[in-house]
Amino acid sequence: MKYDPDKHHRRSIRLKDYDYSQAGAYFVTICIQNRECLLGDVLDGEMHLSQAGEMVIRVWDDLTVRYPAVALDEFVVMPNHVHGIVIVGALFVGAQQMAGIKPAISADDVTVRAGTRPAPTLSEIIGTFKSITTKEYTVGVAQNGWAPFHQRLWQRNYYEHIIRNEDDLNQIREYIQTNPLNWDHDENNPRILQEAQSI
């Protein structure tokens, strides 16, 4: 299936007057173990998703259902990794209201939940994403003949960057949006990795 930017990219959320210096907005990169290309292929600068890649998008989108205090911004699936922007916690509710966006939960809900179930940590969110996608991928291997993985689907760690301000946010959004176009020069591209190892 060809990657459709309108369907597979989250519309950028413009957060007017949001203070990104607060540790609530993150740019994350999560890589497949050993950089195996299991999620699709880039052809002529466009990402073509495998069934596994489509599943990854669905699980990512569903994170906001599981965690109402989480918002998702720009996101892309690449052959062996994903990039996304995650905004965590009650901080985002005020930002949504300032931007004229209907919040996933109300400020009152956040206050009530604060005493019983605080907003999830980024590591909890990413751990959930990895766990669900691994289970679904395993089913895909058994039922649909997806390429098997060795021991684990995702690398143990992930890259995170706290988004500091609007300029930082916009640069990261552009990086995510143009990632398929830059695949031939991407450090995660197996061809680039092989060339670097042979030097």
Side-chain angles (χ1 to χ4, degrees):
M1 174 181 183
K2 183 178 173 182
Y3 191 88
D4 180 349
D6 293 328
K7 182 177 177 184
H8 298 127
H9 268 287
R10 290 201 155 273
R11 182 174 298 153
S12 294
I13 303 169
R14 297 296 165 192
L15 302 178
K16 185 179 178 184
D17 300 325
Y18 180 68
D19 182 3
Y20 279 93
S21 65
Q22 301 177 70
Y26 301 89
F27 167 50
V28 296
T29 299
I30 312 167
C31 294
I32 296 286
Q33 183 76 1
N34 300 320
R35 303 288 204 287
E36 290 189 63
C37 294
L38 303 177
L39 306 179
D41 295 301
V42 175
L43 303 172
D44 298 323
E46 293 185 348
M47 182 64 193
H48 295 258
L49 296 165
S50 64
Q51 288 181 336
E54 293 175 13
M55 175 273 293
V56 164
I57 287 177
R58 180 174 45 77
V59 172
W60 182 266
D61 286 346
D62 286 348
L63 289 172
T64 56
V65 176
R66 184 174 292 268
Y67 299 114
V70 169
L72 303 173
D73 196 286
E74 204 68 54
F75 178 70
V76 68
V77 173
M78 296 296 291
N80 58 10
H81 65 281
V82 301
H83 294 298
I85 296 173
V86 181
I87 303 172
V88 182
L91 294 173
F92 187 69
V93 173
Q96 286 176 312
Q97 290 169 339
M98 284 186 283
I101 300 166
K102 182 179 178 182
I105 54 176
S106 70
D108 291 339
D109 290 336
V110 174
T111 304
V112 170
R113 289 174 185 230
T116 56
R117 184 168 185 244
T121 63
L122 181 64
S123 61
E124 180 183 346
I125 296 163
I126 301 304
T128 297
F129 170 76
K130 287 182 175 181
S131 177
I132 295 172
T133 50
T134 297
K135 288 177 183 175
E136 294 210 16
Y137 194 100
T138 302
V139 171
V141 171
Q143 296 183 357
N144 302 317
W146 296 0
F149 58 89
H150 180 66
Q151 293 186 333
R152 62 178 61 244
L153 178 61
W154 301 100
Q155 288 184 351
R156 187 178 302 276
N157 295 321
Y158 60 92
Y159 170 84
E160 69 177 77
H161 166 79
I162 297 172
I163 298 175
R164 306 282 181 187
N165 52 50
E166 188 85 14
D167 287 341
D168 195 16
L169 173 69
N170 289 331
Q171 288 175 8
I172 291 167
R173 282 174 171 158
E174 182 178 1
Y175 175 82
I176 293 172
Q177 291 166 358
T178 60
N179 213 234
L181 286 172
N182 296 314
W183 177 241
D184 285 342
H185 309 287
D186 194 308
E187 63 182 12
N188 291 304
N189 186 324
R191 183 178 57 79
I192 300 297
L193 290 168
Q194 288 174 353
E195 289 175 359
Q197 291 170 354
S198 66
I199 294 176

